[in-house]
Amino acid sequence: VGTGSTLPFEMRLGEASIPATAGEFAVRDYANEPARYVQARSDGVAVTLPTGARTLKAGETLVLLRDSTMRDATADEAAIAFGWLDGKLVLKEVAVRDAMQALYRWYALDIAICDSTLFDRTVSLDVPFESSQAAIAGMESGAQLKFEWVDTRMTFKDARAR
Protein backbone atom coordinates (compact mmCIF):
# COMPACT_ATOMS: atom_id res chain seq x y z
CA VAL A 1 0.00 0.00 0.00
CA GLY A 2 1.41 3.38 -0.94
CA THR A 3 2.47 5.73 1.83
CA GLY A 4 0.39 8.82 2.41
CA SER A 5 -2.81 7.31 1.07
CA THR A 6 -5.88 9.17 2.25
CA LEU A 7 -8.25 6.29 1.61
CA PRO A 8 -7.37 2.90 3.06
CA PHE A 9 -7.02 -0.17 0.92
CA GLU A 10 -9.19 -2.89 2.46
CA MET A 11 -8.58 -6.57 1.80
CA ARG A 12 -11.50 -8.91 2.55
CA LEU A 13 -10.94 -12.59 3.26
CA GLY A 14 -14.31 -14.08 4.12
CA GLU A 15 -15.31 -12.28 7.29
CA ALA A 16 -11.79 -10.93 7.87
CA SER A 17 -10.99 -7.31 7.11
CA ILE A 18 -7.48 -5.92 6.64
CA PRO A 19 -7.59 -2.14 6.17
CA ALA A 20 -4.31 -0.45 5.32
CA THR A 21 -3.16 3.06 4.53
CA ALA A 22 0.52 2.11 4.34
CA GLY A 23 2.77 -0.89 4.61
CA GLU A 24 3.00 -4.33 3.08
CA PHE A 25 1.24 -7.60 3.73
CA ALA A 26 0.66 -10.85 1.87
CA VAL A 27 -2.29 -13.21 1.88
CA ARG A 28 -2.87 -16.82 0.91
CA ASP A 29 -6.43 -17.96 0.31
CA TYR A 30 -7.22 -21.07 -1.70
CA ALA A 31 -10.81 -22.32 -1.57
CA ASN A 32 -9.70 -25.94 -1.14
CA GLU A 33 -7.60 -25.21 1.96
CA PRO A 34 -9.01 -25.15 5.51
CA ALA A 35 -7.43 -21.81 6.42
CA ARG A 36 -6.35 -18.45 5.06
CA TYR A 37 -3.04 -16.81 5.95
CA VAL A 38 -1.95 -13.20 6.43
CA GLN A 39 1.69 -12.21 6.80
CA ALA A 40 2.81 -8.71 7.73
CA ARG A 41 5.78 -7.54 5.71
CA SER A 42 5.87 -4.30 7.72
CA ASP A 43 4.62 -3.23 11.16
CA GLY A 44 1.05 -2.20 11.85
CA VAL A 45 -1.05 -4.58 9.74
CA ALA A 46 -4.47 -4.80 11.41
CA VAL A 47 -6.63 -7.90 10.97
CA THR A 48 -10.23 -7.81 12.18
CA LEU A 49 -12.65 -10.72 12.48
CA PRO A 50 -16.05 -10.90 14.22
CA THR A 51 -14.28 -12.83 17.01
CA GLY A 52 -11.47 -10.32 17.60
CA ALA A 53 -8.70 -8.18 16.15
CA ARG A 54 -4.91 -8.26 15.98
CA THR A 55 -2.24 -5.84 14.84
CA LEU A 56 0.76 -7.60 13.37
CA LYS A 57 4.43 -6.70 13.41
CA ALA A 58 6.69 -7.32 10.42
CA GLY A 59 7.26 -11.03 9.93
CA GLU A 60 4.26 -12.19 11.95
CA THR A 61 1.80 -14.57 10.30
CA LEU A 62 -1.79 -15.29 11.26
CA VAL A 63 -3.89 -18.31 10.41
CA LEU A 64 -7.50 -17.34 9.76
CA LEU A 65 -9.68 -20.41 10.15
CA ARG A 66 -12.92 -20.76 8.19
CA ASP A 67 -14.93 -20.56 11.45
CA SER A 68 -13.76 -16.91 11.84
CA THR A 69 -11.19 -17.64 14.55
CA MET A 70 -7.51 -16.82 14.28
CA ARG A 71 -4.24 -17.98 15.75
CA ASP A 72 -0.52 -17.42 15.27
CA ALA A 73 1.02 -19.52 12.51
CA THR A 74 3.82 -21.93 13.29
CA ALA A 75 7.14 -21.36 11.53
CA ASP A 76 6.38 -24.28 9.19
CA GLU A 77 2.92 -22.93 8.35
CA ALA A 78 4.38 -19.51 7.54
CA ALA A 79 7.11 -21.05 5.36
CA ILE A 80 4.58 -23.20 3.48
CA ALA A 81 2.08 -20.38 3.00
CA PHE A 82 4.57 -17.71 1.95
CA GLY A 83 7.58 -19.52 0.51
CA TRP A 84 6.44 -18.15 -2.86
CA LEU A 85 7.46 -14.66 -1.69
CA ASP A 86 11.01 -15.97 -1.45
CA GLY A 87 10.77 -17.73 -4.81
CA LYS A 88 10.41 -21.27 -3.56
CA LEU A 89 7.95 -24.08 -3.04
CA VAL A 90 7.84 -25.29 0.55
CA LEU A 91 5.85 -28.39 1.54
CA LYS A 92 6.10 -30.27 4.84
CA GLU A 93 4.98 -33.88 5.14
CA VAL A 94 2.13 -33.67 2.63
CA ALA A 95 0.58 -36.50 0.66
CA VAL A 96 2.04 -36.98 -2.80
CA ARG A 97 -1.43 -36.21 -4.24
CA ASP A 98 -1.23 -32.71 -2.68
CA ALA A 99 2.38 -32.24 -3.77
CA MET A 100 1.34 -33.08 -7.34
CA GLN A 101 -1.23 -30.27 -7.24
CA ALA A 102 1.49 -27.87 -6.07
CA LEU A 103 3.80 -28.99 -8.91
CA TYR A 104 1.05 -28.22 -11.37
CA ARG A 105 0.18 -24.87 -9.74
CA TRP A 106 3.73 -23.54 -9.47
CA TYR A 107 5.63 -25.30 -12.28
CA ALA A 108 2.86 -26.29 -14.74
CA LEU A 109 4.12 -29.87 -14.44
CA ASP A 110 1.44 -32.37 -15.39
CA ILE A 111 3.04 -35.62 -14.28
CA ALA A 112 1.09 -38.87 -14.30
CA ILE A 113 1.19 -41.46 -11.53
CA CYS A 114 -0.09 -44.83 -12.71
CA ASP A 115 -0.01 -46.56 -9.32
CA SER A 116 -2.65 -44.90 -7.12
CA THR A 117 -1.06 -46.28 -3.92
CA LEU A 118 1.81 -43.81 -4.44
CA PHE A 119 -0.55 -40.87 -3.78
CA ASP A 120 -0.63 -41.74 -0.07
CA ARG A 121 3.13 -41.43 0.45
CA THR A 122 4.31 -38.24 2.12
CA VAL A 123 6.92 -35.80 0.93
CA SER A 124 8.59 -32.57 2.06
CA LEU A 125 10.03 -30.07 -0.41
CA ASP A 126 11.95 -26.80 -0.22
CA VAL A 127 12.88 -26.05 -3.83
CA PRO A 128 13.33 -22.90 -5.95
CA PHE A 129 10.72 -21.93 -8.53
CA GLU A 130 13.32 -21.44 -11.23
CA SER A 131 14.10 -25.18 -11.29
CA SER A 132 11.39 -27.67 -12.14
CA GLN A 133 14.22 -30.21 -12.24
CA ALA A 134 14.89 -29.56 -8.52
CA ALA A 135 11.19 -30.08 -7.78
CA ILE A 136 11.19 -33.40 -9.65
CA ALA A 137 14.39 -34.48 -7.87
CA GLY A 138 12.83 -33.55 -4.53
CA MET A 139 9.80 -35.69 -5.29
CA GLU A 140 12.04 -38.57 -6.31
CA SER A 141 14.16 -38.51 -3.15
CA GLY A 142 11.44 -37.47 -0.72
CA ALA A 143 8.72 -39.89 -1.80
CA GLN A 144 10.93 -42.60 -3.30
CA LEU A 145 9.59 -42.03 -6.80
CA LYS A 146 11.28 -42.43 -10.17
CA PHE A 147 10.65 -39.85 -12.90
CA GLU A 148 10.61 -41.08 -16.48
CA TRP A 149 9.09 -40.36 -19.84
CA VAL A 150 6.58 -42.90 -21.13
CA ASP A 151 6.08 -42.09 -24.79
CA THR A 152 5.39 -38.33 -24.62
CA ARG A 153 4.06 -38.35 -21.03
CA MET A 154 5.96 -37.40 -17.87
CA THR A 155 5.40 -40.02 -15.15
CA PHE A 156 6.38 -40.94 -11.63
CA LYS A 157 6.77 -44.60 -10.77
CA ASP A 158 7.65 -46.42 -7.58
CA ALA A 159 11.45 -46.21 -7.22
CA ARG A 160 11.38 -49.30 -5.00
CA ALA A 161 9.68 -51.49 -7.65
CA ARG A 162 11.82 -53.72 -9.74
Side-chain angles (χ1 to χ4, degrees):
V1 178
T3 55
S5 299
T6 56
L7 295 174
F9 167 80
E10 184 171 0
M11 169 68 73
R12 293 289 201 156
L13 296 169
E15 295 196 11
S17 171
I18 308 166
T21 54
E24 295 179 42
F25 63 94
V27 298
R28 177 179 172 129
D29 182 16
Y30 290 111
N32 65 333
E33 293 181 349
R36 300 169 170 115
Y37 301 87
V38 177
Q39 184 175 78
R41 305 297 274 182
S42 59
D43 289 340
V45 174
V47 178
T48 303
L49 285 165
T51 57
R54 285 275 307 274
T55 300
L56 303 177
K57 294 181 177 143
E60 290 184 322
T61 302
L62 276 183
V63 178
L64 308 178
L65 300 168
R66 303 276 177 192
D67 66 359
S68 295
T69 58
M70 65 180 136
R71 63 175 174 77
D72 291 323
T74 65
D76 280 349
E77 287 173 323
I80 292 164
F82 296 107
W84 61 272
L85 291 171
D86 299 320
K88 59 186 180 174
L89 173 63
V90 179
L91 302 174
K92 302 283 184 185
E93 294 298 315
V94 300
V96 165
R97 80 175 40 80
D98 297 327
M100 297 297 289
Q101 289 176 349
L103 292 181
Y104 186 76
R105 175 182 289 156
W106 295 105
Y107 298 92
L109 290 173
D110 188 14
I111 304 173
I113 294 184
C114 298
D115 180 353
S116 63
T117 63
L118 300 178
F119 284 119
D120 293 328
R121 290 186 183 173
T122 58
V123 65
S124 295
L125 296 174
D126 189 336
V127 291
F129 285 146
E130 63 265 5
S131 176
S132 60
Q133 192 171 15
I136 290 169
M139 291 290 289
E140 286 181 309
S141 63
Q144 298 177 353
L145 300 173
K146 172 81 173 119
F147 175 83
E148 60 184 49
W149 287 91
V150 175
D151 296 322
T152 60
R153 183 89 167 120
M154 294 182 288
T155 63
F156 278 130
K157 295 186 175 183
D158 188 349
R160 296 181 281 192
R162 302 248 176 230

